[in-house]
Amino acid sequence: MSDWEATMPELTHMSFAIDDGIATVTFDKSGEAMNTLDPSLMGDFETILDRLESDPEVKAVVINSAKSDSFVTGANIKWFSELDNPLSAQTAIEAGQGLFDRLERLHRDRAKPVVATIHGACLGGGLELALACSHRVASDDAKTQLGQPEVKLGLIPAGGGTQRLPKLIGVTAALDLILTGRSMRPSKARKLGLVDATPPLSHLHEVATETARQAIGSPSEKPDPGWLSASGLQKLALETNPLGQKVLFQQARQKLLKETKGNYPAPERALEAVRIGVQEGTEAGMAAEARFFAALVGSPESKALRSIFFATRAKPDTGGAKTVDTVGVLGGGLMGAGIATVSTQKAGARVRIKEVDQAGVARALAYVSGVLSGRVKRRRMGDFEAEQAMLRVTGTTDWSGFGAAELIIEAVFEDLALKQSLLKEVESVTGGEAVFASNTSSLPITEIAAASTRPGTVLGMHYFSPVEKMPLLEVIVTPETADWAEATAVEFGQRQGKTVIVVNDGTGFYTSRILGPYSTEAFHLLAEGASVEAIDSAVEAWGFPVGPLRLADEVGLDVGAKIGKIMVDAFGARMAPPEGVDLASTDRRGRKNGKGFYLYDAKGKRGGVDDSVYSDLGVTPDKEVPRREIQDRITLALINEAARCLEEGILRSAADGDIGAVMGIGFPPFRGGPFFWIDQVGAGEVVERLRALEARHGARFEPARILVEATAGDTKFR
Amino acid sequence: MSDRRVAIVDGLRTPFAKSGTDLAEVDTMGLAAPLVTELVARAGLDPNLIDRVVYGSVVQDVASPNIAREIVLASPLPDTVDAYSLTRACATSTQTFVDGAAAILLGEADVVITGGADSLSKPPVTFSDEFVSVMMKAQSAKDLPSRIKALSQLRPKDLAPRPPAIAERSTGETMGDSAEKMAKMNGIGREDQDRFALESHRKATEAWGKGVYDSEVMAFPVPPAYLKVVERDTIPRGDSSPEKLAALKPVFDRRYGSVTAGNASPLTDGASALILMEEATARRLGYEPKAFLRSYAFAAVDPNWQLLIGPAFATPTALDRAGMTLADIDVIDIHEAFAAQVLSVQKAFASDQFARDHLGRDRAIGEIPDDKLNLYGGSISLGHPFAATGGRQLLTMANELVRRDAGTALITQCAAGGLGATVILER
């Protein structure tokens, strides 16, 4: 044994020990909080494999992590940016695959069982490492999560995941994990056969070692789950015969394309890699996996998604924040109740809702309860946990209890005078220094704060509906807002599970403002004779989840008109719809009254376009506007406005602009946000296209100065 | 014994509803936990300042025998808040109040929450002894044949569940039987009882009309759907009449009896809670004490005699401890289990004979003038969720002292087992 110690090269990121025939390999990436895979760590891994293979003392292997609450969290994403050249990327991937193959052969060919000891995040390459082992033992801890999130970054599993996972848990279950990027809890993983045992953390290492010891000497073989189980039956029907396989993959592809609209190559490639493995054999599957990954890693889509990922990880500063134990919410409508929900469920704060009457309080509580019981039903939350979350929310029709709130968020009707009078009332009943946040989507915070005796505590917290689902929070500060108040709002927003951007005050702030020209341009197109379907479908094909007219229906046409007027007052002609083309005189209010651009049935389900909307607008849909032109006009109007927001200092950074657009208003994530997109297309080209539109349609397309300036020095925004 | 004073600084109760009606979907925890949460939130009290919760119920839920602790764990109170539960039948929340007060007087605590709750809509139903014994045998059987053999001993009649009875374990008498007995012993006629009940409803209805209860009763949104909000007590009837009450048949003694559903307290769902603080703590935290504890006493009598006469025994002791006579008391609140029982107590208070025979005193406790008694209705008209009633009385009387901004109040209950409880508050 001492021979080995002497000859084994020094390890940086891993350690090795052997006791009674069982080798323990521990991942402990130097200088980092988590174990991520990259060439430097893989070098150590290769050294260790050499020894595991040739040391006759090694009868079995246990793989551990030295990080407190994670196993291996996947490849080092920063390393991907070095893989721009597809050829070198493929070589790197194949090298990784080769190491995992060697790990697999240890137990398959040499009868040395390998047990992965999983506690905490086991994701991406981490799960693929575990899949190459003969056994997986995972702690039943809430922190333990297993998944293949690669598609979220526009990539696919490329450490054999597309091949080994279907073999282990079946094609259908594997596709569900690989195509959605969802992670699963240990209990589910055990049901699927992804892990062999889920002991409590206290027994994890003992169980892993014992599993390894008992398997010594027997080559690994996966037990068949048996066709009697539901999944077994499905396997029998679909997965194990060629015809069934064909049907399965066809269906999966159709379902996928319906969701991605062809804009996301990664899940399509992942599906294809799985298919090749199943139908043409593992070797072909592995080769396809490496090839596809190498092509994807340099793709604009993956770069865009990675850029958003990195941008959201750079969180705003929360130094000086006051801890919010109690939040007061004024107004228990859809927004107020949603804010209450995330405040109790995610942030764990006590919530006091003020409503005009008890029926309003009850409606708000019903909303919170509905979200919580949905989570209980989906087993995302326990009964008692939900009971606690519910009990943190109380309601009132007076101001009782508001004195205890460190933060008060108003979510009442969009009316400046109303918001100002509430602010005054709040300040008279709360003696202390509570932060007052307005959830306005358009009114300038400065104007609301004008009613305040302590404007330093006034800011905006702009949530998006439905609050419990939408990931963004836009915090708006005025020049007078105190740093500690800003930090308090940001910190609380993060506790609510939100990605937070901070922007400076101005009409519409950032997100509502860039939607202004987006929706105005749709009205211009309507006036020119484009149809509702043509407009929405063009924009949706570009990658927005909903087109501008569908969005108008969702927001409410009355609300939209109100915001629109505020925009025109502030920004003038470029936000103004064409003369006379509006629905102000009609009772169309969108989905909420079942009358908008679209038809809605009694249950609120959206049908086709309501053709009578054209006569209400005074237009005739008799013109075929090319899809490309619709896309150009609507998206460039929005992107140009985003650039103005950066130019005027509404945005503090281009990265914030990308996060806000992607997470707040559904800007296509695979395009990375307005500024990432400008960088990709090139500011010169963007300005050129805007100038062309300006020539044909007028000054509203005049390029933002900051764009013109960027063309000069080939400056990048991101 | 201590220079510390116990203040009631705030309190709240749910609306009281006849069992099986508006609050039928909610169990005892479901009443108590939102109530305590709302009380703390409304008072703007930092939950970290709470030292202890003392809570109780009479019909105990097997899933939460220590309901006080369950309230702490489910509600936003910190898990580090000490909590225990107790039961003293209809005087339960008087006892939780006294326990909380004692902890403050002893210097164990500065801020205590006390109270009680009962849902009579969802009482625990038990199986027969035979059924339980067979199931235990079957469960401990070692193999299938012996398990089947054990189970085969089960007879159909064993399967009938046993509804909870409100009867004395020792005497077998129901409360109603005891009230009926007291009516006869003390010569309380049907008309007097009905008149008392009618007055109780009139006073409760008027009190609601005047807003007396607005600040002490929370609007209760009913889970799980939260579509309905119970905002008021549902039992007080403004439309009753002597004729209507007279038309009701006696329940417990159909031939010679006088106790009817109309002159007795109904089975009720509800909860009450109080915040108690040591005086200096209250002032430091900015809470204005509503009333202070002056004295208290408990007593017990032979349940075979007059089961519900306890107040006549506890009260003179409490008065002695306060250094007062009944004449010094400004308002009196007697729990109305039955009109016959309140009227019996009133008679006993006024009787020199009773004092000599039963209290070892020369003189009667004193007359209770009608205009000092149960100003805003009582358990007959408001309802009687067993463990919540004491808290309800204490809260209303504390608020009455606030309205008067001076004075003394005496609160007393009879309780199952022949118990009596009395508390004197002052301001």
Side-chain angles (χ1 to χ4, degrees):
Chain A
M1 204 142 83
S2 53
D3 292 350
W4 281 104
E5 302 304 346
T7 54
M8 197 162 156
E10 197 145 315
L11 299 166
T12 316
H13 304 297
M14 302 175 87
S15 66
F16 179 90
I18 183 159
D19 178 27
D20 197 15
I22 299 191
T24 301
V25 175
T26 305
F27 282 65
D28 190 5
K29 190 138 189 222
S30 163
E32 286 187 37
M34 302 210 189
N35 291 314
T36 55
L37 307 176
D38 56 19
S40 130
L41 181 137
M42 291 309 246
D44 276 8
F45 191 44
E46 191 168 6
T47 307
I48 281 180
L49 278 169
D50 290 342
R51 169 138 186 206
L52 296 176
E53 287 165 350
S54 8
D55 186 345
E57 296 282 324
V58 174
K59 308 285 186 216
V61 184
V62 171
I63 297 185
N64 284 333
S65 157
K67 306 301 182 195
S68 58
D69 283 318
S70 64
F71 177 66
V72 175
T73 54
N76 181 354
I77 298 164
K78 291 209 172 102
W79 169 55
F80 290 158
S81 53
E82 295 166 26
L83 298 178
D84 239 3
N85 174 344
L87 215 61
S88 63
Q90 192 165 340
T91 313
I93 291 306
E94 281 167 356
Q97 285 182 340
L99 293 181
F100 285 179
D101 272 346
R102 283 175 63 188
L103 188 67
E104 187 179 55
R105 284 200 299 273
L106 267 184
H107 53 84
R108 206 184 56 204
D109 301 344
R110 296 171 195 261
K112 294 182 178 183
V114 184
V115 180
T117 314
I118 301 164
H119 170 66
C122 172
L123 301 171
L127 181 55
E128 294 177 291
L129 168 70
L131 285 168
C133 298
S134 59
H135 299 80
R136 284 147 298 277
V137 178
S139 76
D140 67 357
D141 199 276
K143 291 184 182 114
T144 300
Q145 297 273 321
L146 303 98
Q148 300 281 183
E150 289 86 349
V151 289
K152 291 185 176 172
L153 297 178
L155 299 167
I156 65 168
T162 65
Q163 306 305 306
R164 290 193 183 96
L165 194 59
K167 269 193 209 150
L168 187 62
I169 64 171
V171 176
T172 313
L175 285 179
D176 184 51
L177 273 183
I178 293 172
L179 300 187
T180 63
R182 263 200 294 267
S183 52
M184 62 169 69
R185 294 198 175 170
S187 53
K188 179 84 190 291
R190 184 162 175 208
K191 256 182 225 152
L192 284 175
L194 180 54
V195 299
D196 303 280
T198 52
L201 179 57
S202 57
H203 288 58
L204 179 65
H205 292 279
E206 191 187 317
V207 170
T209 311
E210 204 41 46
T211 304
R213 194 182 304 283
Q214 295 203 350
I216 288 175
S218 47
S220 57
E221 229 179 313
K222 273 295 133 196
D224 193 45
W227 60 270
L228 263 176
S229 64
S231 62
L233 277 174
Q234 190 178 16
K235 269 189 191 160
L236 199 70
L238 286 176
E239 299 187 6
T240 51
N241 70 76
L243 188 70
Q245 285 170 356
K246 206 174 155 192
V247 173
L248 191 159
F249 283 110
Q250 264 170 4
Q251 282 176 349
R253 197 174 153 73
Q254 276 165 7
K255 193 175 155 221
L256 186 64
L257 285 175
K258 212 171 144 194
E259 279 169 28
T260 65
K261 297 192 169 73
N263 285 325
Y264 293 85
E268 288 177 45
R269 301 280 84 184
L271 178 63
E272 183 63 5
V274 173
R275 187 197 65 75
I276 292 172
V278 170
Q279 295 187 332
E280 297 168 27
T282 306
E283 204 174 314
M286 286 286 192
E289 189 186 83
R291 203 167 61 241
F292 293 160
F293 181 92
L296 288 167
V297 75
S299 70
E301 290 88 354
S302 176
K303 283 181 176 168
L305 292 168
R306 271 143 54 198
S307 134
I308 283 292
F309 175 78
F310 282 122
T312 53
R313 282 216 308 195
K315 298 193 165 115
D317 182 31
T318 56
K322 275 195 196 170
T323 304
V324 176
D325 290 323
T326 303
V327 59
V329 177
L330 307 180
L334 197 62
M335 292 307 291
I339 294 166
T341 303
V342 295
S343 298
T344 177
Q345 185 232 317
K346 294 259 175 66
R350 297 185 290 273
V351 184
R352 188 102 174 131
I353 301 172
K354 184 174 185 297
E355 253 293 341
V356 289
D357 56 21
Q358 288 297 339
V361 171
R363 269 194 301 276
L365 294 178
Y367 185 95
V368 179
S369 166
V371 175
L372 295 176
S373 57
R375 291 185 68 82
V376 170
K377 238 175 250 158
R378 292 195 308 276
R379 292 167 191 263
R380 304 283 293 276
M381 202 175 201
D383 279 322
F384 183 65
E385 210 187 328
E387 182 186 357
Q388 286 181 311
M390 196 65 218
L391 280 170
R392 280 192 290 268
V393 185
T394 60
T396 174
T397 56
D398 56 28
W399 287 100
S400 67
F402 272 77
E406 295 90 358
L407 168 67
I408 291 162
I409 305 173
E410 70 79 14
V412 300
F413 195 65
E414 201 79 339
D415 181 293
L416 181 62
L418 175 63
K419 286 174 195 282
Q420 285 181 330
S421 79
L422 269 178
L423 170 56
K424 280 186 194 155
E425 250 185 292
V426 165
E427 291 187 352
S428 72
V429 293
T430 64
E433 286 272 279
V435 174
F436 181 91
S438 172
N439 175 52
T440 175
S441 56
S442 58
L443 296 168
I445 303 302
T446 312
E447 287 179 29
I448 298 171
S452 173
T453 56
R454 35 178 207 253
T457 61
V458 182
L459 44 74
M461 287 176 88
H462 180 202
Y463 293 86
F464 297 78
S465 182
V467 180
E468 68 279 7
K469 290 201 181 112
M470 297 296 284
L472 187 75
L473 169 64
E474 187 179 24
V475 169
I476 303 109
V477 296
T478 74
E480 291 194 74
T481 306
D483 290 347
W484 70 264
E486 174 188 331
T488 301
V490 169
E491 198 262 352
F492 190 62
Q494 289 169 349
R495 275 172 59 199
Q496 290 173 321
K498 300 299 170 202
T499 298
V500 184
I501 60 168
V502 180
V503 304
N504 288 314
D505 190 31
T507 303
F509 333 121
Y510 172 61
T511 53
S512 299
R513 176 167 163 185
I514 60 175
L515 280 177
Y518 174 82
S519 118
T520 302
E521 200 53 32
F523 278 85
H524 280 289
L525 282 157
L526 281 172
E528 288 166 30
S531 72
V532 172
E533 295 99 325
I535 294 169
D536 277 351
S537 70
V539 174
E540 285 163 22
W542 202 74
F544 274 91
V546 288
L549 301 173
R550 241 178 95 184
L551 180 70
D553 269 10
E554 297 295 331
V555 171
L557 298 179
D558 49 340
V559 175
K562 203 163 178 172
I563 297 174
K565 194 178 166 311
I566 295 171
M567 294 292 178
V568 177
D569 289 349
F571 302 109
R574 74 170 185 274
M575 298 272 188
E579 198 70 33
V581 182
D582 65 55
L583 293 166
S585 57
T586 70
D587 68 338
R588 285 180 198 274
R589 289 195 282 150
R591 175 188 286 281
K592 62 186 160 197
N593 76 340
K595 272 176 149 177
F597 287 101
Y598 291 87
L599 295 163
Y600 298 87
D601 68 14
K603 283 182 196 155
K605 196 173 159 13
R606 191 170 52 90
V609 171
D610 182 355
D611 285 329
S612 65
V613 77
Y614 295 113
S615 54
D616 282 2
L617 284 164
V619 300
T620 326
D622 55 1
K623 199 173 144 209
E624 283 282 326
V625 183
R627 167 167 283 201
R628 177 69 202 270
E629 185 189 329
I630 296 174
Q631 291 174 338
D632 246 27
R633 284 170 61 179
I634 291 181
T635 62
L636 280 170
L638 179 145
I639 290 162
N640 195 27
E641 197 64 32
R644 283 203 179 89
C645 289
L646 185 62
E647 178 183 312
E648 291 170 20
I650 297 288
L651 284 172
R652 291 179 173 181
S653 72
D656 283 350
D658 284 348
I659 296 171
V662 169
M663 311 204 106
I665 63 164
F667 191 95
F670 67 91
R671 298 189 195 273
F675 296 98
F676 188 88
W677 185 84
I678 294 167
D679 285 350
Q680 290 279 301
V681 174
E685 154 111 23
V686 173
V687 168
E688 212 168 285
R689 275 153 76 175
L690 281 166
R691 291 253 192 251
L693 289 171
E694 188 185 5
R696 284 176 53 202
H697 300 288
R700 66 178 187 272
F701 282 107
E702 184 190 347
R705 205 186 63 234
I706 200 170
L707 285 175
V708 180
E709 284 166 5
T711 57
D714 191 29
T715 335
K716 295 274 188 206
F717 287 105
R718 292 291 312 277
Chain B
M1 76 182 164
S2 164
D3 55 359
R4 291 163 71 89
R5 269 178 111 194
V6 178
I8 297 176
V9 300
D10 211 341
L12 197 65
R13 66 175 173 93
T14 66
F16 289 175
K18 198 168 189 169
S19 293
T21 65
D22 298 64
L23 295 171
E25 293 154 85
V26 189
D27 63 8
T28 305
M29 254 301 278
L31 292 166
L35 173 76
V36 170
T37 304
E38 171 62 21
L39 171 60
V40 173
R42 181 176 292 204
L45 176 62
D46 178 355
N48 293 300
L49 297 170
I50 299 166
D51 297 309
R52 182 175 289 177
V53 174
V54 189
Y55 215 80
S57 59
V58 172
V59 181
Q60 285 174 55
D61 185 348
V62 287
S64 48
N66 185 0
I67 187 172
R69 183 59 180 153
E70 302 304 339
I71 292 168
V72 168
L73 296 177
S75 73
L77 270 53
D79 289 353
T80 47
V81 174
D82 177 34
Y84 70 93
S85 307
L86 57 85
T87 187
R88 193 193 253 283
C90 307
T92 294
S93 50
T94 301
Q95 186 64 56
T96 56
F97 165 75
V98 165
D99 270 38
I104 290 173
L105 289 172
L106 288 168
E108 282 180 34
D110 294 319
V111 180
V112 183
I113 290 183
T114 74
D118 266 300
S119 165
L120 274 295
S121 294
K122 292 188 167 178
V125 174
T126 52
F127 286 97
S128 67
D129 290 347
E130 291 76 12
F131 181 84
V132 173
S133 125
V134 166
M135 291 317 279
M136 294 304 283
K137 264 186 222 155
Q139 205 167 33
S140 59
K142 294 219 160 41
D143 49 28
L144 193 62
S146 44
R147 185 162 301 168
I148 291 169
K149 194 180 156 210
L151 286 171
S152 68
Q153 293 163 359
L154 211 55
R155 299 286 166 266
K157 69 174 170 59
D158 300 342
L159 295 173
R162 273 196 320 204
I166 308 173
E168 287 291 309
R169 182 177 181 276
S170 59
T171 64
E173 272 180 17
T174 66
M175 282 263 170
D177 292 335
S178 302
E180 194 65 77
K181 192 162 90 182
M182 286 171 71
K184 287 166 186 149
M185 284 173 77
N186 301 314
I188 314 287
R190 167 75 184 263
E191 266 179 46
D192 287 345
Q193 292 177 47
D194 284 356
R195 194 181 311 118
F196 184 88
L198 196 63
E199 270 296 283
S200 180
H201 280 280
R202 182 190 63 76
K203 288 189 280 191
T205 310
E206 261 183 34
W208 269 109
K210 282 193 295 190
V212 170
Y213 289 122
D214 289 357
S215 71
E216 57 193 66
V217 177
M218 75 177 280
F220 196 91
V222 185
Y226 295 96
L227 294 172
K228 183 173 66 182
V229 184
V230 184
E231 298 194 47
R232 287 168 153 245
D233 298 323
T234 62
I235 298 164
R237 302 177 64 124
D239 62 349
S240 198
S241 68
E243 295 73 28
K244 279 184 189 164
L245 283 172
L248 295 169
K249 294 245 181 319
V251 178
F252 304 97
D253 176 352
R254 289 172 183 273
R255 275 183 82 183
Y256 307 109
S258 57
V259 175
T260 69
N263 57 39
S265 57
L267 291 179
T268 309
D269 301 334
S272 68
L274 302 170
I275 299 175
L276 312 186
M277 286 187 193
E278 187 272 321
E279 181 180 9
T281 305
R283 304 217 187 270
R284 181 167 51 78
L285 297 174
Y287 289 93
E288 166 74 22
K290 289 175 184 284
F292 295 97
L293 170 64
R294 175 71 182 254
S295 75
Y296 63 86
F298 295 96
V301 302
D302 176 1
N304 285 296
W305 177 52
Q306 294 195 53
L307 182 79
L308 308 174
I309 200 72
F313 289 78
T315 300
T317 312
L319 285 167
D320 287 351
R321 289 178 183 164
M324 292 178 171
T325 67
L326 194 64
D328 298 323
I329 302 294
D330 299 311
V331 274
I332 297 171
D333 205 275
I334 304 181
H335 160 49
E336 302 168 353
F338 299 89
Q341 154 261 330
V342 183
L343 295 171
S344 296
V345 167
Q346 211 173 358
K347 268 197 167 173
F349 267 49
S351 161
D352 287 338
Q353 184 73 39
F354 184 90
R356 280 194 296 273
D357 291 354
H358 302 292
L359 303 175
R361 293 170 185 257
D362 299 336
R363 306 283 303 276
I365 304 164
E367 296 268 354
I368 302 173
D370 283 348
D371 62 356
K372 281 188 182 179
L373 178 64
N374 294 11
L375 302 182
Y376 305 116
S379 297
I380 290 173
S381 52
L382 296 170
H384 176 37
F386 304 139
T389 291
R392 188 264 299 163
Q393 292 177 274
L394 287 162
L395 176 58
T396 303
M397 287 299 101
N399 282 331
E400 179 62 14
L401 295 183
V402 174
R403 277 186 287 274
R404 296 169 180 230
D405 198 22
T408 51
L410 185 144
I411 296 97
T412 179
Q413 297 104 30
C414 57
L419 304 177
T422 299
V423 173
I424 296 173
L425 298 179
E426 67 181 352
R427 178 172 168 113

